[in-house]
Amino acid sequence: MSANVNTALPLEYQREQDRMNILGFWIFLGAEIILFATLFGVYGVLYQRYAGGPTHQDIIVIKDVMIQTVLLLTSSFTMGLAIFEMRRHNLKGLIAWFVVTLLLGGGFLFMEINEFIHYVHEGATMQTSAFLSSLFVLLGTHGAHVTLGIGWATMVIIQLLKRGLTPVTARKTFIIGLYWHFLDVVWIFIFTFVYLKGLVG
Amino acid sequence: MMNIKWDEILITGDPLILGSQIAIVLTMVGVIAGITYLKKWKWLWTEWLTTVDHKKIGVMYIIAGVLMFFRGGVDGLLMKAQTARPEMEFLNAQHYNEVFTTHGVIMIIFMAMPMLIGIMNVVIPLQIGARDVAFPQLNALSFWLFFSGAMLFNISFVVGGSPDAGWTSYFPLAGKEFSPSIANNYYAVALQIAGIGTLISGINFIVTILKMRTKGMTLMKMPMFTWTGFITSIIIVAAFPIFTVALALMTTDRLYGTHFFTLSGGGLDMLWANLFWLWGHPEVYILILPAFGIYSEVISTFSRKSLYGYKSMIVSIVSIAILSMLVWVHHFFTMGSGPTVNSIFSISTMLIAVPTGIKIFNWLFTMRKGRIKMTTPMLWALAFIPCFLIGGVTGVMLGMGAADFQYHNTLFLVAHFHYTIIPGVVFAVFAGIYYWWPKMFGFMLNEKIGKWHFWLFVIGFNLTFFPMFFLGLDGAVRRAYTYSAESGFASLFGLSAIGAAILALGFAAFCYNIYWSIRHADRNISSDPWDARTLEWSTASPVQYYNFAKLPEVNRLDAFWHMKKEHQGLTLKESEIEEIHMPSNSGLPIFMGAVFGIAGFFLVFEWHIAAAIAGIGIIAGLIIRSFDYDDGYHVKVNEIKSIEKSWRNVEGEVHDHVS
């Protein structure tokens, strides 16, 4: 299974098993799209069912949400730079941008946790109304993905430090890069349909 | 909060359940003592529990499926016993609710699914000429997650209480307001764990089929069973995440007081029904498509002809897959979404009859002018066509929105879906087991007992479910635990109960056949006893662990059939043998299954701290996997030579089944 090596390709695509892992991950992302689409669908059904509780306008602090958005979008850009350095076989550059990415991701997570604490202080918990249940679960699922991504990426960084750039570590880095960009795309939808639409509608 | 109430954990006071508890404990003690006495622990661990071999994983799926068939079948018999006479007091209403709930869940999720995924596991890599699936260790993880979910669900009736809100678990009934005990938590948690395993399987098979086909096997030269497995995997990836979300929301509603499906706080109970069937209807086709694939292989083999209309078969399964996503509302026409919506879903539902009809005609035309061999697998395929047709035609009746208001929630519907799922899936599973049994184990199941099994099962099935159409039309509702003598239902219900007993005898004959064949069947058989057409028959029976000494090369459909006719590619020169790279066994998948099961159990009982601690085990498993750089091992040329010699030389002096 490890046969069929093509050294003309980028490091992460050289071995057949790694090519299969990358394809498998794309299909997994397809499943993730369905998962988030379902959560958006649920939110779309429930988002005006306030049950007498707080509405979007009552709780959203758009300034904080903007900061979160900038942090996460920037982290996606730096993730791209990390993969760019990987393609240039520059391990130091790769790790540096990788760490910057995770710091930005950590900043996003910090802001999001604060946002949740703020909501709860305003009396908006996920038990309050159907709207808030769907809001918390949609945001929470995205936030849990970011958390998992940070933990996972830390494992990959340790392996990069230990083993350097090999087809396997390159593939692992590439795959978490895909994952990270995917979370960014989901956030763009959250920002548009939850926050902006919530403040307008 | 961890105030454990032991009297709520162990179910007491019911003689049936007490008997089961004692039986479970005795069986477990017996199994453990037996393995210890025979000194088989090490063998069990290295050969089975830690295996990543797709064939062994497939066999474990099938064994689990047969066990679950027994459990779900006992549930079915209990129901039939309770309704055999009017005003019976064998089961009370609550117990009856639990029994029909677990019957449905177990038969669909823990019987039909593992049987089919098991057969896919055994057969697909062999049919495409590969040495394993794309991700062997993930494949083992899929199995152990499924197994863990199945065990968690199954202990519910002795520990904590069975779910009792139906296999669809509709809200608001399934919510905390109306089902306050922990019983329905089992549904939410156990199905979630098993569902993750299924999703991983789907991804695994898509990559396997896209990337690991042997030289020359283009997509349009793939055997039909592999095609159906491929499309089924795509439906799994498209549909299971919806169920993942639905179950997660059910869990937060029940455990953390959210308002997705509740009556209070702005929740919407019908949102659950929509999400459930957005997964649930595609799920029906996840089951039926591989079954169609099995029939295609069996009918083609025993008609001694290529499958008729190969391309139209593929167009049909792809259109069935697309339509499967567009019909979910027909499960609740009575929701009140209005005539326009109901009409659209009526039409999309009836459209499914078109590709399905094409497939039926293709099978009939495959048999036309074929030299048909009446083997046991072929008998199942032949019985499938008329029985399934009854299921399909009544499905079109139910699909008419306006008419459905009459049939809705009656036994007519119950008869309909048993007429689709039993001939569609169960007959196919039996056909597949009889057909591929020699490939899995190197001996055949007995044909004579097989015919007893077939006739008892098919007659029992029709006798059980045909009367239920008429009961339903007469107004007998589903899920009612009893009926009055004045209703006039007694004779049809009685007939149905007799049918169920015959059905059970059929299953017993199947089990006896397995026992008899293990003891007495001829071991000296050809590796191709059915004179079959696809690549799995070109290698040894049972298949050597590396599948193929040299990967076969194909240039047309039914490759092995033509290889035999042209005497090409059947022999192996010693100089052609090279070292083979194989994946290593791993204990991690079974460890993950165990911690998922433990965390799930704590979650069911709402012991959140304990669940979180068990959750650390899951994270630990992921970290261990991340740092695992085991790259497998190489099988030496000498070992391959001796294995290949051991089965290739006996050709010509074996007992060929098909003369």
Side-chain angles (χ1 to χ4, degrees):
Chain A
M1 260 164 275
S2 63
N4 203 351
V5 177
N6 184 348
T7 47
L9 293 168
L11 209 47
E12 67 272 19
Y13 282 108
Q14 287 182 2
R15 301 188 327 158
E16 179 67 17
Q17 184 65 49
D18 293 330
R19 290 196 286 272
M20 291 199 292
N21 283 30
I22 292 169
L23 176 65
F25 197 77
W26 275 109
I27 297 166
F28 171 74
L29 286 184
E32 287 272 61
I33 288 172
I34 308 276
L35 184 130
F36 276 102
T38 311
L39 285 171
F40 275 108
V42 168
Y43 175 81
V45 170
L46 301 176
Y47 82 107
Q48 283 180 319
R49 301 175 81 92
Y50 300 120
T55 66
H56 293 82
Q57 281 92 344
D58 294 336
I59 56 168
I60 292 174
V61 183
I62 194 66
K63 191 183 108 229
D64 292 356
V65 177
M66 273 313 292
I67 296 170
Q68 284 180 45
T69 306
V70 170
L71 284 173
L72 202 65
L73 292 191
T74 313
S75 83
S76 207
F77 180 66
T78 55
M79 189 76 228
L81 291 178
I83 299 295
F84 176 71
E85 293 296 343
M86 183 175 89
R87 289 275 164 82
R88 300 205 313 173
H89 296 274
N90 178 359
L91 182 62
K92 270 194 182 149
L94 160 61
I95 291 174
W97 284 119
F98 212 163
V99 170
V100 172
T101 304
L102 295 195
L103 289 176
L104 290 165
F108 165 84
L109 213 56
F110 177 77
M111 294 291 294
E112 185 164 55
I113 291 166
N114 272 333
E115 180 194 342
F116 281 12
I117 293 170
H118 162 73
Y119 289 170
V120 171
H121 277 297
E122 298 268 308
T125 68
M126 68 179 195
Q127 290 87 5
T128 311
S129 66
F131 152 62
L132 285 166
S133 298
S134 62
L135 179 82
F136 272 104
V137 169
L138 175 58
L139 297 181
T141 306
H142 178 265
H145 275 74
V146 175
T147 314
L148 193 82
I150 291 174
W152 175 13
T154 312
M155 300 300 128
V156 176
I157 289 176
I158 294 170
Q159 288 165 48
L160 281 169
L161 288 170
K162 267 172 66 179
R163 293 167 184 272
L165 265 179
T166 68
V168 176
T169 53
R171 178 253 296 166
K172 289 187 176 193
T173 313
F174 183 76
I175 285 178
I176 188 143
L178 291 178
Y179 183 76
W180 200 263
H181 294 310
F182 167 75
L183 295 184
D184 218 37
V185 172
V186 173
W187 181 260
I188 289 170
F189 281 88
I190 290 178
F191 182 69
T192 312
F193 291 106
V194 175
Y195 292 107
L196 294 186
K197 188 167 184 297
L199 288 177
V200 175
Chain B
M1 292 290 280
M2 292 251 299
N3 44 349
I4 300 169
K5 299 190 192 90
W6 288 105
D7 55 324
E8 282 181 15
I9 295 173
L10 266 188
I11 301 298
T12 50
D14 186 306
L16 275 175
I17 292 177
L18 184 67
S20 309
Q21 283 164 334
I22 294 167
I24 289 171
V25 172
L26 288 179
T27 312
M28 280 173 64
V29 170
V31 168
I32 290 169
I35 296 171
T36 311
Y37 179 74
L38 295 168
K39 299 198 173 71
K40 289 284 188 189
W41 280 111
K42 187 152 183 276
W43 168 82
L44 193 66
W45 178 256
T46 51
E47 291 293 313
W48 292 95
L49 303 184
T50 59
T51 187
V52 295
D53 182 334
H54 68 98
K55 302 176 288 294
K56 286 183 177 170
I57 291 171
V59 168
M60 290 196 290
Y61 265 118
I62 293 169
I63 293 171
V66 171
L67 288 176
M68 290 296 107
F69 200 157
F70 177 75
R71 160 78 208 267
V74 170
D75 285 339
L77 287 176
L78 287 173
M79 281 188 272
K80 283 293 157 197
Q82 163 62 22
T83 55
R85 305 289 313 138
E87 317 276 8
M88 282 272 275
E89 284 173 15
F90 174 54
L91 303 177
N92 59 34
Q94 172 60 24
H95 200 162
Y96 193 80
N97 290 348
E98 294 173 7
V99 169
F100 71 64
T101 301
T102 52
H103 170 77
V105 172
I106 286 173
M107 285 304 205
I108 297 283
I109 309 277
F110 299 130
M111 187 283 283
M113 290 286 286
M115 292 278 210
L116 292 168
I117 291 181
I119 295 174
M120 280 164 65
N121 254 300
V122 172
V123 175
I124 287 179
L126 293 169
Q127 279 198 334
I128 63 172
R131 293 208 167 103
D132 209 319
V133 292
F135 313 116
Q137 194 169 327
L138 268 187
N139 199 22
L141 180 66
S142 287
F143 172 76
W144 288 111
L145 288 180
F146 146 75
F147 190 74
S148 172
M151 288 304 107
L152 187 59
F153 191 85
N154 269 277
I155 57 164
S156 64
F157 82 111
V158 288
V159 185
S162 288
D164 56 359
W167 91 277
T168 53
S169 258
Y170 274 2
F171 279 79
L173 176 61
K176 207 74 173 171
E177 276 170 289
F178 297 96
S179 298
S181 85
I182 60 108
N184 282 286
N185 294 349
Y186 271 112
Y187 181 95
V189 177
L191 295 193
Q192 187 72 283
I193 295 172
I196 298 167
T198 309
L199 178 63
I200 297 172
S201 276
I203 295 171
N204 211 339
F205 279 111
I206 293 176
V207 179
T208 304
I209 294 169
L210 285 179
K211 287 284 207 177
M212 295 180 73
R213 277 168 289 126
T214 195
K215 204 172 169 196
M217 185 175 280
T218 58
L219 284 175
M220 296 309 279
K221 288 181 187 125
M222 284 198 313
M224 189 49 60
F225 179 68
T226 299
W227 254 110
T228 55
F230 180 52
I231 301 297
T232 280
S233 303
I234 292 174
I235 310 179
I236 286 175
V237 172
F240 262 79
I242 304 173
F243 198 40
T244 304
V245 170
L247 289 172
L249 303 186
M250 173 189 252
T251 310
T252 61
D253 262 16
R254 288 189 56 85
L255 267 58
Y256 309 117
T258 53
H259 292 287
F260 289 102
F261 313 124
T262 56
L263 295 180
S264 59
L268 211 54
D269 50 353
M270 282 314 287
L271 180 58
W272 165 265
N274 278 276
L275 291 178
F276 180 87
W277 285 113
L278 265 166
W279 160 79
H281 202 88
E283 163 69 14
V284 176
Y285 294 96
I286 291 169
L287 298 177
I288 205 76
L289 287 184
F292 284 173
I294 294 172
Y295 290 130
S296 298
E297 300 293 345
V298 165
I299 289 174
S300 159
T301 298
F302 296 109
S303 304
R304 343 291 304 151
K305 279 175 68 190
S306 275
L307 190 63
Y308 183 91
Y310 176 83
K311 281 182 189 160
S312 66
M313 281 296 205
I314 293 166
V315 174
S316 300
I317 53 178
V318 172
S319 41
I320 287 174
I322 294 166
L323 285 170
S324 78
M325 308 278 173
L326 304 172
V327 298
W328 77 94
V329 172
H330 74 212
H331 293 274
F332 40 85
F333 279 136
T334 52
M335 176 172 75
S337 30
T340 317
V341 172
N342 280 3
S343 303
I344 289 169
F345 281 93
S346 287
I347 291 165
S348 63
T349 301
M350 284 186 256
L351 270 179
I352 291 189
V354 177
T356 317
I358 291 172
K359 295 183 76 70
I360 299 264
F361 280 112
N362 280 339
W363 288 314
L364 293 176
F365 280 120
T366 306
M367 285 187 262
R368 182 171 173 269
K369 291 193 173 173
R371 282 169 289 139
I372 295 176
K373 302 255 186 245
M374 289 293 179
T375 58
T376 310
M378 187 63 178
L379 286 178
W380 290 110
L382 289 173
F384 148 75
I385 290 176
C387 294
F388 187 75
L389 207 60
I390 296 172
V393 170
T394 51
V396 176
M397 289 169 72
L398 285 155
M400 287 182 268
D404 180 74
F405 278 66
Q406 286 299 312
Y407 311 129
H408 187 82
N409 239 7
T410 66
L411 290 181
F412 185 85
L413 166 76
V414 176
H416 153 72
F417 68 69
H418 282 89
Y419 258 90
T420 54
I421 293 178
I422 294 178
V425 181
V426 179
F427 288 11
V429 165
F430 286 138
I433 289 177
Y434 277 89
Y435 181 60
W436 280 299
W437 188 275
K439 199 39 59 183
M440 290 188 269
F441 300 109
F443 59 92
M444 315 195 49
L445 286 173
N446 183 287
E447 282 285 292
K448 204 170 172 188
I449 307 172
K451 275 161 195 163
W452 274 99
H453 168 205
F454 169 78
W455 285 109
L456 285 169
F457 202 91
V458 171
I459 292 169
F461 155 72
N462 279 293
L463 199 57
T464 309
F465 294 104
F466 207 72
M468 288 167 78
F469 283 121
F470 298 99
L471 281 169
L473 291 177
D474 288 344
V477 292
R478 71 191 292 202
R479 291 170 175 165
Y481 83 109
T482 193
Y483 51 94
S484 65
E486 296 79 49
S487 64
F489 296 155
S491 55
L492 286 175
F493 265 119
L495 204 59
S496 180
I498 295 167
I502 299 173
L503 195 61
L505 282 178
F507 183 73
F510 171 62
C511 297
Y512 177 68
N513 198 351
I514 293 176
Y515 167 79
W516 189 93
S517 304
I518 290 174
R519 292 291 299 271
H520 306 297
D522 184 4
R523 258 55 177 183
N524 186 20
I525 58 160
S526 151
S527 57
D528 175 28
W530 307 112
D531 197 8
R533 316 178 72 81
T534 41
L535 286 180
E536 71 269 33
W537 302 99
S538 71
T539 190
S541 301
V543 182
Q544 60 278 52
Y545 60 95
Y546 49 79
N547 291 1
F548 300 97
K550 190 185 86 177
L551 292 180
E553 213 177 310
V554 301
N555 50 20
R556 59 209 291 189
L557 195 61
D558 289 337
F560 181 52
W561 179 258
H562 295 287
M563 283 157 80
K564 285 189 289 188
K565 276 184 124 176
E566 292 150 21
H567 300 289
Q568 274 179 356
L570 294 174
T571 51
L572 181 72
K573 293 196 196 85
E574 284 207 350
S575 58
E576 290 174 320
I577 296 177
E578 287 171 18
E579 281 197 349
I580 294 171
H581 177 249
M582 294 298 291
S584 307
N585 282 4
S586 169
L588 205 50
I590 189 172
F591 166 78
M592 288 298 265
V595 285
F596 262 97
I598 293 165
F601 181 80
F602 291 143
L603 206 56
V604 164
F605 281 89
E606 303 177 15
W607 301 335
H608 294 114
I609 296 163
I613 293 168
I616 294 170
I618 297 173
I619 293 169
L622 291 173
I623 292 173
I624 292 168
R625 178 62 185 146
S626 183
F627 285 94
D628 175 12
Y629 274 75
D630 187 335
D631 215 15
Y633 64 98
H634 288 269
V635 188
K636 295 278 173 290
V637 171
N638 280 340
E639 189 182 342
I640 302 169
K641 274 184 193 165
S642 71
I643 291 174
E644 291 301 312
K645 271 181 189 158
S646 70
W647 71 276
R648 284 175 184 269
N649 282 346
V650 292
E651 209 85 52
E653 50 192 84
V654 290
H655 304 170
D656 223 355
H657 176 74
V658 178
S659 48

